[in-house]
Amino acid sequence: MDIFSNPELIRNTRAQMRWGRMISVAAICAVLSLVVGYAMAHSQSPGDPPGRWGMQFLQIVLGTQAVALLLGGSIACLNAVHREKEMNTFDFQRVTRLTPWELALGKLFGAPVVVYFAVLCLMPAALVGAVVGGARPTMVGAAYVVLLLGSITAHAFSLVISMLHQRGTNTGAILVLIILLLSGASASGPRMVFDVGALNPFISVQMVEQDTWQLSPYTPEQAGLPETHLGLADVFFGQRLHHVPVLLFLYVSFSGWFLLAVTRNLKRDPSVYELYTPNQSLGLLVYVNFLMLGFFKWGSTAEPMARQPMPMQPYDVQAIFLGINLSLFFLLGMVLLRNRDQIRRRLRELGDSASNWLAASWPAPYLLAGILLLGLATMGMISWKRSPKSEWDLALAAFRLGLVALWVVRDLLYLQWINLTRIRRPLTMGFVYLIVFYSSTAILFATLDLYDKPRGQAFTAFFSPAAVFGLTGKEWTGAEVFWWLAMFCQVAVAAAFAWMHRQKQLELAPAPAAAPAAESPLPTVG
Amino acid sequence: MIRLEDLTKEYDVLPTAGKPGQVLATDRLNLEIGEREIFGLVGPNGAGKTTTLKMVCGLLVPTAGRVTVNGIDVERQPEEAQKHIGYLADFFALYDDLKVWEYLDYFAHAYKMEEAAIPARIDFAISKMGLEPKRDSFIAGLSRGMKQRLGIARAVLHDPPVLVLDEPASGLDPKARHELKEFLRELNRAGKTIFITSHVLADLEEMCTSLAILEKGRLVRVGKIEHVMRSDSPGRRVRVKLAMASFPLADWLGARPDVSTVVPEGNFASAIFAFAGGDAELAELVANLVAAGAPVCGVEEVSETLEQIFSRLSSGEIM
Ligand SMILES: Nc1ncnc2c1ncn2[C@@H]1O[C@H](COP(=O)(O)OP(=O)(O)OP(=O)(O)O)[C@@H](O)[C@H]1O
Ligand SMILES: [Mg+2]
C-alpha cells in the first residue's frame, strides 16, 4: 500500500494537524525565522566575508530542525504504541486488517507529523541561508538526507522502546533515550578506536559547511585529532569511503533492524513478544561485529590493507572487542530470555522435552556459539594485523575469550532463572541485584588489594571475571591454576542456575492427569 | 463457525499470602458455535468471559488449546481470521481528537473495505446507531453511551460475518438497549453469527439462540436456549392464582403425587409448582381444586427466567 493512503498515517495527520494548530506552528516558525535571520544579518562583523551570516543562519536553522526531529520526533514515537496501550485503543488496531508493516510505518511517520510540519515551515529560512551563504547545493541536500534518515533511525528505535515499555516507566524511557542520543552527539568520540566519523545526525549541521565532496586530504594522525574541519573519510577494511554514504548505509540498515523488531511483534499478544528470533539476534550481532571489525583502526590508512603495525597492543584490541561484545551479548541474551507465559506454552506444546536439560540451559547454547564465533573472528583479524614483535599467545587469547563467554552465560542463566520467579518486575530486580553484586565485590576486592597481585586478580575472577581483560602473559604465569579455577567457577555457577531454572520449569508444568474439565456430560449444542 | 478446543489461559498474578500465584481464567473450554447463532456467554465477574472473547479475536494467546473461526486458526493466521470478526471490548477508549465520521473512516480503511463502499457504509453505521447529530463532533465531547454506540458502529462497520461483543449494552439508555437488541437480531437474520456476553440476562434470554454459563473458567452449562432454560426443571411449571387467600393452597398441592416443589407466592393467594403430568392431568387437577372449594381465578404455565436459572446454577462466587 502506498504510504500516503496508510490509514494510520491519515489518522495521525487528521488528529494532529487541525487548521488552528497548523497556522500557529507556521506562524511561530515564520516569526522565529525572521527574527533570527534579521539578527544574524545585522551582527555580521565587518571583517567577515559577505555571505558568512547566511551560512551561520543555515546552521542555526538546521540545528533547530535537527533538535526538533531528534528529540520531538523521538518523544512522539516513544508515546506512539504505549499511549495507545495505556488508553485501551490499541486492541482495536490489533484486530484490524492493517499489516504490522502498515501499522508500524503509519506510526513511524504519523506520530511525529507535527514535527515534520514544523521542519518544513523552517525550510524557507534554511533556503535563504543556503543561498546567501553560498553553500554547495548537493552538500545541503545530502545534509538533509542524513538528518532525515538519522531521525528515522532514532524514531524506529523509539518505537521499539515504546512497544516494549511497561506501564509507569515512561519518563524513565524518555530520559534514557535522550541520554543515549546526547552521548552519541560528541563528534570526535569514535575516532579513537574506530575509523569512522560521528554517527549522530547532528553532523548534518557541520556538513553544510563543506564545499567539496573530495575525501579529506588529512593523514590518519591528523584525522585522529578532534576535528574542527570535518574530514569526511571513513576507513572500512582499509578502504577509504566517504562518510555520507557510510552514514546513510548505517542508518538504513539499523532502521531496518529496528523496524523488523517492531513489525515482528506489534500485533502480537505482549506476553509473548519476542524481539528477534534467536537466529535474527545472532545475525544482528554478526552484523555489528562485522562493522566493528571493518571500521577498527587496524593501522595506517595510507596504503590500504598494508601490513602495518597496529597502534595498539593485541591483547588490548581483543579486550575492546570482548568488552563491547560482552554488553551486546548481554542484550542479545535478554532478548532471548523466556518468560513464564512462554515456558507454560512450550510445556504444553512440547511436553517433557520443554523441561529437559537442554531447555534448562537456554539461552546458553546460542550465546556460547555466538560469542565464540565472533571472538575467533576477532582473534584471526588480530593475528593477521598485529606486529610480529607484540605479545600475543593464541592459547591465552582463547582462554580470555572462553572466560568472557562463560561469564555472559553465567549471568544470563541467572537472569533467565529470576525471570521465572514470581516477584514484581523480575528482570529489573535481577538487574539491580547484579549491579549490587558487582559493585560490592569490586569495592571489597579493591580494599583487599587483590587487583595488584596476579593471584589476587585470578581470585577476583571467580566472582567477577572483569580482571580477564587485563590478563596477559605476565599475570598468567604463576597463577594458571587460579585462572582455571575461575573458569571452572563460572561453569559451576552457570550449572547451578540452569538447575534452578529447570526446577522453575517443572513447577510450571501442567498438573498431570488432572480431572477432566467438565465432570458432567454437557448438553451439546446444535 | 467459532470453535474452541481445550482452550486454556493461565494468568500470573502477584502471589499474596495463601493464594496461588496463578489464575486459571479459562480451563479447557470446548465450545462450538454454529453459523447464524446468537451465542450468549454469561457468568459472574471474573468467570473468564472477557478472556475467552479476547482469545477468540486473537488478542490473547492461549496457554493451551486453540480457536478456529470459520476454519481458520486464529493463532496461526490472525489477520486472516480477523477479517471475519468484528470485535467490541468491554472497556475501551476512542480517539478523542478525531471526529465521529473520521473515526469510522479510519477503521473502514484499516479493514481494507472497498473505497467506493466506504461512505455509504459509514452513513449506515452512523444512522443505525442514532449518531447523525454527532457526525461532525469530536469524540472527546461524546457522552459515555454515545461512545458505546460509536464502538458498536465500529464493530459492525466492515460487515463481518462474526461479531464478538463484550457487554455491548453497558452504558446504553433503555431505548438504545432495545434498539441494539433489535439491530443484533436483524444482523442475525441477515446471516451473522454473534458471540456476546452481557450481565443483563433478560436481554440475552430474549435474543440468544444458544447460551453457555461460565464459572471460574469452566462451563457449567451450555446448549440451545430452550434446552438450557428447561433442562432440569422436572416437567412444567404452573402458577395457580386464587381470588383470595382463604384456601390452604400449598398444603393441598403438596399432598398430590404429581406435584413437586411448591413455592407459595406473595400473600399465599398464589403458588408456583412443578407438575409432572400432561395437559389432561392438569385440567383434572384444576377441576379437583375448584371442587375442593378453592376460588381459582387464574392458571398459567410459567417458565423460569434466565436470571433464576443463573442464580440457581451459579454459586456467584468470584475468583
Ligand atoms: N491481565 C491479567 N492478569 C492477571 N489476571 C487476569 C488478567 N486479566 C484477567 N485476569 C483474571 O482472570 C480471570 C477472568 O477474568 P475476565 O476478565 O475474563 O473475567 P470476566 O468474566 O470478563 O469478568 P467481568 O464480568 O468482570 O467482565 C479473573 O480472575 C481475573 O482476575
Ligand atoms: Mg469482562
Side-chain angles (χ1 to χ4, degrees), chain A residues 8 14 18 84 87 93-94 102 269 340 344-345 348 523, chain B residues 10 12 22 59 61-62 75 93 95 97 102 105-106 222:
Chain A
E8 176 65 7
R14 274 186 181 149
R18 302 281 171 201
E84 297 231 16
M87 302 219 323
Q93 293 196 333
R94 284 176 60 207
E102 288 165 344
D269 176 356
R340 290 172 66 88
R344 261 200 286 262
R345 278 167 55 76
R348 302 210 191 217
Chain B
E10 213 172 329
D12 274 313
Q22 36 209 338
L59 288 171
V61 177
E75 197 183 334
Y95 297 105
D97 38 17
E102 290 172 338
D105 185 66
Y106 167 60
V222 51

PDB file of all heavy atoms in Angstrom, chain A residues 8 14 18 84 87 93-94 102 269 340 344-345 348 523, chain B residues 10 12 22 59 61-62 75 93 95 97 102 105-106 222:
ATOM      1  N   GLU A   8      -3.299   4.601   9.162  1.00  0.00           N
ATOM      2  CA  GLU A   8      -2.743   5.024  10.444  1.00  0.00           C
ATOM      3  C   GLU A   8      -2.059   6.385  10.302  1.00  0.00           C
ATOM      4  O   GLU A   8      -2.154   7.242  11.182  1.00  0.00           O
ATOM      5  CB  GLU A   8      -1.759   3.951  10.938  1.00  0.00           C
ATOM      6  CG  GLU A   8      -1.020   4.269  12.209  1.00  0.00           C
ATOM      7  CD  GLU A   8      -1.916   4.371  13.430  1.00  0.00           C
ATOM      8  OE1 GLU A   8      -3.108   4.072  13.321  1.00  0.00           O
ATOM      9  OE2 GLU A   8      -1.411   4.770  14.481  1.00  0.00           O
ATOM     10  N   ARG A  14      -4.813  13.615  10.656  1.00  0.00           N
ATOM     11  CA  ARG A  14      -6.087  14.269  10.961  1.00  0.00           C
ATOM     12  C   ARG A  14      -6.123  14.733  12.404  1.00  0.00           C
ATOM     13  O   ARG A  14      -6.556  15.842  12.699  1.00  0.00           O
ATOM     14  CB  ARG A  14      -7.225  13.283  10.744  1.00  0.00           C
ATOM     15  CG  ARG A  14      -7.690  13.268   9.318  1.00  0.00           C
ATOM     16  CD  ARG A  14      -8.903  12.383   9.188  1.00  0.00           C
ATOM     17  NE  ARG A  14      -9.347  12.351   7.808  1.00  0.00           N
ATOM     18  CZ  ARG A  14      -9.944  11.309   7.252  1.00  0.00           C
ATOM     19  NH1 ARG A  14     -10.165  10.216   7.951  1.00  0.00           N
ATOM     20  NH2 ARG A  14     -10.329  11.362   6.002  1.00  0.00           N
ATOM     21  N   ARG A  18      -4.941  19.869  12.819  1.00  0.00           N
ATOM     22  CA  ARG A  18      -6.117  20.705  12.587  1.00  0.00           C
ATOM     23  C   ARG A  18      -5.639  22.078  12.134  1.00  0.00           C
ATOM     24  O   ARG A  18      -4.515  22.487  12.458  1.00  0.00           O
ATOM     25  CB  ARG A  18      -6.927  20.817  13.867  1.00  0.00           C
ATOM     26  CG  ARG A  18      -7.375  19.485  14.431  1.00  0.00           C
ATOM     27  CD  ARG A  18      -8.578  18.945  13.688  1.00  0.00           C
ATOM     28  NE  ARG A  18      -8.863  17.571  14.101  1.00  0.00           N
ATOM     29  CZ  ARG A  18      -9.562  16.709  13.371  1.00  0.00           C
ATOM     30  NH1 ARG A  18     -10.031  17.075  12.196  1.00  0.00           N
ATOM     31  NH2 ARG A  18      -9.788  15.492  13.804  1.00  0.00           N
ATOM     32  N   GLU A  84      -1.232   4.225  23.346  1.00  0.00           N
ATOM     33  CA  GLU A  84      -2.427   3.534  22.861  1.00  0.00           C
ATOM     34  C   GLU A  84      -2.755   2.332  23.732  1.00  0.00           C
ATOM     35  O   GLU A  84      -3.913   2.015  23.973  1.00  0.00           O
ATOM     36  CB  GLU A  84      -2.218   3.074  21.417  1.00  0.00           C
ATOM     37  CG  GLU A  84      -2.013   4.226  20.483  1.00  0.00           C
ATOM     38  CD  GLU A  84      -2.929   4.157  19.276  1.00  0.00           C
ATOM     39  OE1 GLU A  84      -3.911   3.408  19.302  1.00  0.00           O
ATOM     40  OE2 GLU A  84      -2.643   4.860  18.305  1.00  0.00           O
ATOM     41  N   MET A  87      -4.259   3.729  26.883  1.00  0.00           N
ATOM     42  CA  MET A  87      -5.603   4.282  26.728  1.00  0.00           C
ATOM     43  C   MET A  87      -6.599   3.229  26.291  1.00  0.00           C
ATOM     44  O   MET A  87      -7.785   3.516  26.163  1.00  0.00           O
ATOM     45  CB  MET A  87      -5.598   5.370  25.667  1.00  0.00           C
ATOM     46  CG  MET A  87      -4.660   6.492  25.970  1.00  0.00           C
ATOM     47  SD  MET A  87      -5.365   8.040  25.502  1.00  0.00           S
ATOM     48  CE  MET A  87      -6.223   7.607  24.017  1.00  0.00           C
ATOM     49  N   GLN A  93      -6.788  -1.588  17.116  1.00  0.00           N
ATOM     50  CA  GLN A  93      -5.879  -1.565  15.970  1.00  0.00           C
ATOM     51  C   GLN A  93      -5.376  -2.965  15.662  1.00  0.00           C
ATOM     52  O   GLN A  93      -5.207  -3.345  14.517  1.00  0.00           O
ATOM     53  CB  GLN A  93      -4.679  -0.670  16.262  1.00  0.00           C
ATOM     54  CG  GLN A  93      -5.042   0.775  16.396  1.00  0.00           C
ATOM     55  CD  GLN A  93      -3.838   1.672  16.294  1.00  0.00           C
ATOM     56  OE1 GLN A  93      -2.722   1.265  16.601  1.00  0.00           O
ATOM     57  NE2 GLN A  93      -4.049   2.886  15.874  1.00  0.00           N
ATOM     58  N   ARG A  94      -5.161  -3.715  16.728  1.00  0.00           N
ATOM     59  CA  ARG A  94      -4.623  -5.062  16.514  1.00  0.00           C
ATOM     60  C   ARG A  94      -5.613  -5.963  15.801  1.00  0.00           C
ATOM     61  O   ARG A  94      -5.201  -6.895  15.112  1.00  0.00           O
ATOM     62  CB  ARG A  94      -4.213  -5.683  17.851  1.00  0.00           C
ATOM     63  CG  ARG A  94      -2.902  -5.117  18.382  1.00  0.00           C
ATOM     64  CD  ARG A  94      -2.599  -5.691  19.744  1.00  0.00           C
ATOM     65  NE  ARG A  94      -2.484  -7.121  19.701  1.00  0.00           N
ATOM     66  CZ  ARG A  94      -2.746  -7.919  20.741  1.00  0.00           C
ATOM     67  NH1 ARG A  94      -3.140  -7.423  21.880  1.00  0.00           N
ATOM     68  NH2 ARG A  94      -2.610  -9.219  20.629  1.00  0.00           N
ATOM     69  N   GLU A 102       2.205  -1.857   7.887  1.00  0.00           N
ATOM     70  CA  GLU A 102       1.400  -0.646   7.704  1.00  0.00           C
ATOM     71  C   GLU A 102       1.243   0.089   9.017  1.00  0.00           C
ATOM     72  O   GLU A 102       1.381   1.314   9.088  1.00  0.00           O
ATOM     73  CB  GLU A 102       0.025  -1.012   7.143  1.00  0.00           C
ATOM     74  CG  GLU A 102       0.075  -1.432   5.695  1.00  0.00           C
ATOM     75  CD  GLU A 102      -1.204  -2.125   5.258  1.00  0.00           C
ATOM     76  OE1 GLU A 102      -2.000  -2.543   6.119  1.00  0.00           O
ATOM     77  OE2 GLU A 102      -1.410  -2.259   4.052  1.00  0.00           O
ATOM     78  N   ASP A 269       0.300 -10.631  21.056  1.00  0.00           N
ATOM     79  CA  ASP A 269      -0.009 -10.519  22.475  1.00  0.00           C
ATOM     80  C   ASP A 269       1.285 -10.148  23.207  1.00  0.00           C
ATOM     81  O   ASP A 269       2.289 -10.846  23.091  1.00  0.00           O
ATOM     82  CB  ASP A 269      -0.532 -11.883  22.940  1.00  0.00           C
ATOM     83  CG  ASP A 269      -0.801 -11.910  24.428  1.00  0.00           C
ATOM     84  OD1 ASP A 269      -0.509 -10.912  25.117  1.00  0.00           O
ATOM     85  OD2 ASP A 269      -1.321 -12.932  24.890  1.00  0.00           O
ATOM     86  N   ARG A 340       7.345 -16.583  31.915  1.00  0.00           N
ATOM     87  CA  ARG A 340       6.521 -17.684  32.422  1.00  0.00           C
ATOM     88  C   ARG A 340       5.484 -18.131  31.400  1.00  0.00           C
ATOM     89  O   ARG A 340       5.243 -19.328  31.223  1.00  0.00           O
ATOM     90  CB  ARG A 340       5.835 -17.248  33.710  1.00  0.00           C
ATOM     91  CG  ARG A 340       6.795 -17.094  34.866  1.00  0.00           C
ATOM     92  CD  ARG A 340       6.120 -16.468  36.060  1.00  0.00           C
ATOM     93  NE  ARG A 340       5.098 -17.288  36.656  1.00  0.00           N
ATOM     94  CZ  ARG A 340       5.329 -18.187  37.598  1.00  0.00           C
ATOM     95  NH1 ARG A 340       6.535 -18.376  38.050  1.00  0.00           N
ATOM     96  NH2 ARG A 340       4.352 -18.911  38.085  1.00  0.00           N
ATOM     97  N   ARG A 344       5.208 -21.872  29.867  1.00  0.00           N
ATOM     98  CA  ARG A 344       3.969 -22.647  30.001  1.00  0.00           C
ATOM     99  C   ARG A 344       3.494 -23.153  28.654  1.00  0.00           C
ATOM    100  O   ARG A 344       3.084 -24.300  28.502  1.00  0.00           O
ATOM    101  CB  ARG A 344       2.886 -21.762  30.610  1.00  0.00           C
ATOM    102  CG  ARG A 344       2.703 -21.975  32.087  1.00  0.00           C
ATOM    103  CD  ARG A 344       1.361 -21.457  32.508  1.00  0.00           C
ATOM    104  NE  ARG A 344       1.380 -20.010  32.517  1.00  0.00           N
ATOM    105  CZ  ARG A 344       1.566 -19.283  33.616  1.00  0.00           C
ATOM    106  NH1 ARG A 344       1.732 -19.871  34.768  1.00  0.00           N
ATOM    107  NH2 ARG A 344       1.580 -17.984  33.566  1.00  0.00           N
ATOM    108  N   ARG A 345       3.551 -22.261  27.668  1.00  0.00           N
ATOM    109  CA  ARG A 345       3.098 -22.680  26.346  1.00  0.00           C
ATOM    110  C   ARG A 345       3.984 -23.769  25.771  1.00  0.00           C
ATOM    111  O   ARG A 345       3.509 -24.724  25.170  1.00  0.00           O
ATOM    112  CB  ARG A 345       3.063 -21.479  25.394  1.00  0.00           C
ATOM    113  CG  ARG A 345       1.803 -20.651  25.541  1.00  0.00           C
ATOM    114  CD  ARG A 345       1.918 -19.327  24.854  1.00  0.00           C
ATOM    115  NE  ARG A 345       2.275 -19.433  23.444  1.00  0.00           N
ATOM    116  CZ  ARG A 345       1.427 -19.795  22.500  1.00  0.00           C
ATOM    117  NH1 ARG A 345       0.181 -20.080  22.799  1.00  0.00           N
ATOM    118  NH2 ARG A 345       1.804 -19.871  21.237  1.00  0.00           N
ATOM    119  N   ARG A 348       3.224 -27.075  27.342  1.00  0.00           N
ATOM    120  CA  ARG A 348       2.011 -27.725  26.883  1.00  0.00           C
ATOM    121  C   ARG A 348       2.134 -28.183  25.442  1.00  0.00           C
ATOM    122  O   ARG A 348       1.486 -29.126  25.032  1.00  0.00           O
ATOM    123  CB  ARG A 348       0.826 -26.783  27.020  1.00  0.00           C
ATOM    124  CG  ARG A 348       0.669 -26.343  28.443  1.00  0.00           C
ATOM    125  CD  ARG A 348      -0.746 -26.047  28.786  1.00  0.00           C
ATOM    126  NE  ARG A 348      -0.782 -25.384  30.075  1.00  0.00           N
ATOM    127  CZ  ARG A 348      -1.718 -25.574  30.988  1.00  0.00           C
ATOM    128  NH1 ARG A 348      -2.676 -26.412  30.756  1.00  0.00           N
ATOM    129  NH2 ARG A 348      -1.674 -24.927  32.123  1.00  0.00           N
ATOM    130  N   PRO A 523     -25.023 -30.872  27.874  1.00  0.00           N
ATOM    131  CA  PRO A 523     -25.885 -30.931  26.700  1.00  0.00           C
ATOM    132  C   PRO A 523     -25.167 -30.258  25.538  1.00  0.00           C
ATOM    133  O   PRO A 523     -24.622 -29.173  25.685  1.00  0.00           O
ATOM    134  CB  PRO A 523     -27.119 -30.124  27.112  1.00  0.00           C
ATOM    135  CG  PRO A 523     -26.815 -29.503  28.411  1.00  0.00           C
ATOM    136  CD  PRO A 523     -25.561 -30.055  28.952  1.00  0.00           C
TER     137      PRO A 523
ATOM    138  N   GLU B  10      -3.865 -19.286  31.462  1.00  0.00           N
ATOM    139  CA  GLU B  10      -3.400 -19.173  32.829  1.00  0.00           C
ATOM    140  C   GLU B  10      -2.717 -17.819  32.961  1.00  0.00           C
ATOM    141  O   GLU B  10      -1.845 -17.474  32.177  1.00  0.00           O
ATOM    142  CB  GLU B  10      -2.388 -20.299  33.089  1.00  0.00           C
ATOM    143  CG  GLU B  10      -2.389 -20.821  34.485  1.00  0.00           C
ATOM    144  CD  GLU B  10      -1.500 -22.055  34.608  1.00  0.00           C
ATOM    145  OE1 GLU B  10      -1.379 -22.818  33.630  1.00  0.00           O
ATOM    146  OE2 GLU B  10      -0.925 -22.225  35.687  1.00  0.00           O
ATOM    147  N   ASP B  12      -0.559 -15.009  35.359  1.00  0.00           N
ATOM    148  CA  ASP B  12       0.247 -14.856  36.556  1.00  0.00           C
ATOM    149  C   ASP B  12      -0.294 -13.695  37.343  1.00  0.00           C
ATOM    150  O   ASP B  12      -0.582 -12.646  36.791  1.00  0.00           O
ATOM    151  CB  ASP B  12       1.693 -14.530  36.174  1.00  0.00           C
ATOM    152  CG  ASP B  12       2.464 -15.784  35.912  1.00  0.00           C
ATOM    153  OD1 ASP B  12       2.347 -16.694  36.734  1.00  0.00           O
ATOM    154  OD2 ASP B  12       3.149 -15.865  34.894  1.00  0.00           O
ATOM    155  N   GLN B  22      -1.052 -18.069  40.361  1.00  0.00           N
ATOM    156  CA  GLN B  22      -1.608 -18.130  39.017  1.00  0.00           C
ATOM    157  C   GLN B  22      -3.105 -18.360  39.053  1.00  0.00           C
ATOM    158  O   GLN B  22      -3.638 -18.946  39.973  1.00  0.00           O
ATOM    159  CB  GLN B  22      -0.909 -19.203  38.192  1.00  0.00           C
ATOM    160  CG  GLN B  22      -0.531 -20.419  38.965  1.00  0.00           C
ATOM    161  CD  GLN B  22       0.701 -21.078  38.344  1.00  0.00           C
ATOM    162  OE1 GLN B  22       0.992 -20.871  37.199  1.00  0.00           O
ATOM    163  NE2 GLN B  22       1.384 -21.877  39.100  1.00  0.00           N
ATOM    164  N   LEU B  59      -6.409 -11.637  20.359  1.00  0.00           N
ATOM    165  CA  LEU B  59      -5.726 -10.588  21.109  1.00  0.00           C
ATOM    166  C   LEU B  59      -4.891 -11.169  22.232  1.00  0.00           C
ATOM    167  O   LEU B  59      -3.905 -10.580  22.655  1.00  0.00           O
ATOM    168  CB  LEU B  59      -6.753  -9.617  21.702  1.00  0.00           C
ATOM    169  CG  LEU B  59      -7.430  -8.714  20.682  1.00  0.00           C
ATOM    170  CD1 LEU B  59      -8.572  -7.963  21.317  1.00  0.00           C
ATOM    171  CD2 LEU B  59      -6.421  -7.749  20.092  1.00  0.00           C
ATOM    172  N   VAL B  61      -2.958 -14.763  23.527  1.00  0.00           N
ATOM    173  CA  VAL B  61      -2.528 -16.082  23.086  1.00  0.00           C
ATOM    174  C   VAL B  61      -2.905 -17.083  24.173  1.00  0.00           C
ATOM    175  O   VAL B  61      -2.568 -16.879  25.334  1.00  0.00           O
ATOM    176  CB  VAL B  61      -1.009 -16.096  22.873  1.00  0.00           C
ATOM    177  CG1 VAL B  61      -0.542 -17.473  22.492  1.00  0.00           C
ATOM    178  CG2 VAL B  61      -0.645 -15.108  21.799  1.00  0.00           C
ATOM    179  N   PRO B  62      -3.622 -18.134  23.822  1.00  0.00           N
ATOM    180  CA  PRO B  62      -3.977 -19.098  24.864  1.00  0.00           C
ATOM    181  C   PRO B  62      -2.750 -19.834  25.393  1.00  0.00           C
ATOM    182  O   PRO B  62      -1.769 -20.003  24.668  1.00  0.00           O
ATOM    183  CB  PRO B  62      -4.922 -20.071  24.149  1.00  0.00           C
ATOM    184  CG  PRO B  62      -4.772 -19.818  22.706  1.00  0.00           C
ATOM    185  CD  PRO B  62      -4.170 -18.477  22.516  1.00  0.00           C
ATOM    186  N   GLU B  75      -4.566 -18.310  15.968  1.00  0.00           N
ATOM    187  CA  GLU B  75      -3.194 -18.028  16.382  1.00  0.00           C
ATOM    188  C   GLU B  75      -2.235 -18.064  15.194  1.00  0.00           C
ATOM    189  O   GLU B  75      -1.306 -17.269  15.108  1.00  0.00           O
ATOM    190  CB  GLU B  75      -2.772 -19.058  17.428  1.00  0.00           C
ATOM    191  CG  GLU B  75      -1.558 -18.610  18.203  1.00  0.00           C
ATOM    192  CD  GLU B  75      -1.109 -19.660  19.183  1.00  0.00           C
ATOM    193  OE1 GLU B  75      -1.955 -20.480  19.616  1.00  0.00           O
ATOM    194  OE2 GLU B  75       0.085 -19.690  19.493  1.00  0.00           O
ATOM    195  N   ALA B  93     -11.451   2.819  24.759  1.00  0.00           N
ATOM    196  CA  ALA B  93     -11.440   4.261  24.568  1.00  0.00           C
ATOM    197  C   ALA B  93     -11.426   4.499  23.070  1.00  0.00           C
ATOM    198  O   ALA B  93     -11.118   3.604  22.293  1.00  0.00           O
ATOM    199  CB  ALA B  93     -10.207   4.867  25.218  1.00  0.00           C
ATOM    200  N   TYR B  95     -10.471   7.546  19.920  1.00  0.00           N
ATOM    201  CA  TYR B  95      -9.513   8.639  19.729  1.00  0.00           C
ATOM    202  C   TYR B  95     -10.228   9.968  19.934  1.00  0.00           C
ATOM    203  O   TYR B  95     -11.007  10.399  19.083  1.00  0.00           O
ATOM    204  CB  TYR B  95      -8.897   8.571  18.349  1.00  0.00           C
ATOM    205  CG  TYR B  95      -8.113   7.313  18.144  1.00  0.00           C
ATOM    206  CD1 TYR B  95      -8.598   6.280  17.365  1.00  0.00           C
ATOM    207  CD2 TYR B  95      -6.876   7.147  18.770  1.00  0.00           C
ATOM    208  CE1 TYR B  95      -7.893   5.114  17.200  1.00  0.00           C
ATOM    209  CE2 TYR B  95      -6.167   5.976  18.614  1.00  0.00           C
ATOM    210  CZ  TYR B  95      -6.677   4.970  17.831  1.00  0.00           C
ATOM    211  OH  TYR B  95      -5.978   3.818  17.683  1.00  0.00           O
ATOM    212  N   ASP B  97      -9.361  12.967  19.730  1.00  0.00           N
ATOM    213  CA  ASP B  97      -9.108  14.104  18.848  1.00  0.00           C
ATOM    214  C   ASP B  97      -9.561  13.858  17.413  1.00  0.00           C
ATOM    215  O   ASP B  97      -9.167  14.567  16.502  1.00  0.00           O
ATOM    216  CB  ASP B  97      -7.626  14.503  18.913  1.00  0.00           C
ATOM    217  CG  ASP B  97      -6.734  13.302  19.026  1.00  0.00           C
ATOM    218  OD1 ASP B  97      -7.222  12.191  18.728  1.00  0.00           O
ATOM    219  OD2 ASP B  97      -5.561  13.441  19.399  1.00  0.00           O
ATOM    220  N   GLU B 102     -14.624  10.608  11.121  1.00  0.00           N
ATOM    221  CA  GLU B 102     -13.213  10.301  10.839  1.00  0.00           C
ATOM    222  C   GLU B 102     -12.803   8.990  11.521  1.00  0.00           C
ATOM    223  O   GLU B 102     -12.033   8.195  10.969  1.00  0.00           O
ATOM    224  CB  GLU B 102     -12.318  11.435  11.357  1.00  0.00           C
ATOM    225  CG  GLU B 102     -12.444  12.712  10.563  1.00  0.00           C
ATOM    226  CD  GLU B 102     -11.686  13.870  11.212  1.00  0.00           C
ATOM    227  OE1 GLU B 102     -11.416  13.825  12.424  1.00  0.00           O
ATOM    228  OE2 GLU B 102     -11.381  14.824  10.495  1.00  0.00           O
ATOM    229  N   ASP B 105     -14.120   6.293   9.456  1.00  0.00           N
ATOM    230  CA  ASP B 105     -13.374   6.267   8.201  1.00  0.00           C
ATOM    231  C   ASP B 105     -12.027   5.567   8.387  1.00  0.00           C
ATOM    232  O   ASP B 105     -11.594   4.767   7.557  1.00  0.00           O
ATOM    233  CB  ASP B 105     -13.165   7.707   7.725  1.00  0.00           C
ATOM    234  CG  ASP B 105     -12.506   7.750   6.358  1.00  0.00           C
ATOM    235  OD1 ASP B 105     -13.153   7.305   5.398  1.00  0.00           O
ATOM    236  OD2 ASP B 105     -11.351   8.212   6.264  1.00  0.00           O
ATOM    237  N   TYR B 106     -11.395   5.862   9.513  1.00  0.00           N
ATOM    238  CA  TYR B 106     -10.108   5.206   9.809  1.00  0.00           C
ATOM    239  C   TYR B 106     -10.275   3.691   9.831  1.00  0.00           C
ATOM    240  O   TYR B 106      -9.528   2.955   9.187  1.00  0.00           O
ATOM    241  CB  TYR B 106      -9.583   5.709  11.148  1.00  0.00           C
ATOM    242  CG  TYR B 106      -8.434   4.902  11.709  1.00  0.00           C
ATOM    243  CD1 TYR B 106      -7.244   4.772  10.996  1.00  0.00           C
ATOM    244  CD2 TYR B 106      -8.541   4.264  12.932  1.00  0.00           C
ATOM    245  CE1 TYR B 106      -6.195   4.037  11.504  1.00  0.00           C
ATOM    246  CE2 TYR B 106      -7.493   3.528  13.444  1.00  0.00           C
ATOM    247  CZ  TYR B 106      -6.316   3.411  12.733  1.00  0.00           C
ATOM    248  OH  TYR B 106      -5.283   2.672  13.226  1.00  0.00           O
ATOM    249  N   VAL B 222     -24.234 -25.530  28.914  1.00  0.00           N
ATOM    250  CA  VAL B 222     -24.165 -24.979  27.568  1.00  0.00           C
ATOM    251  C   VAL B 222     -25.196 -25.685  26.699  1.00  0.00           C
ATOM    252  O   VAL B 222     -25.476 -26.863  26.893  1.00  0.00           O
ATOM    253  CB  VAL B 222     -22.753 -25.136  26.972  1.00  0.00           C
ATOM    254  CG1 VAL B 222     -22.253 -26.545  27.098  1.00  0.00           C
ATOM    255  CG2 VAL B 222     -22.710 -24.715  25.524  1.00  0.00           C
TER     256      VAL B 222
END
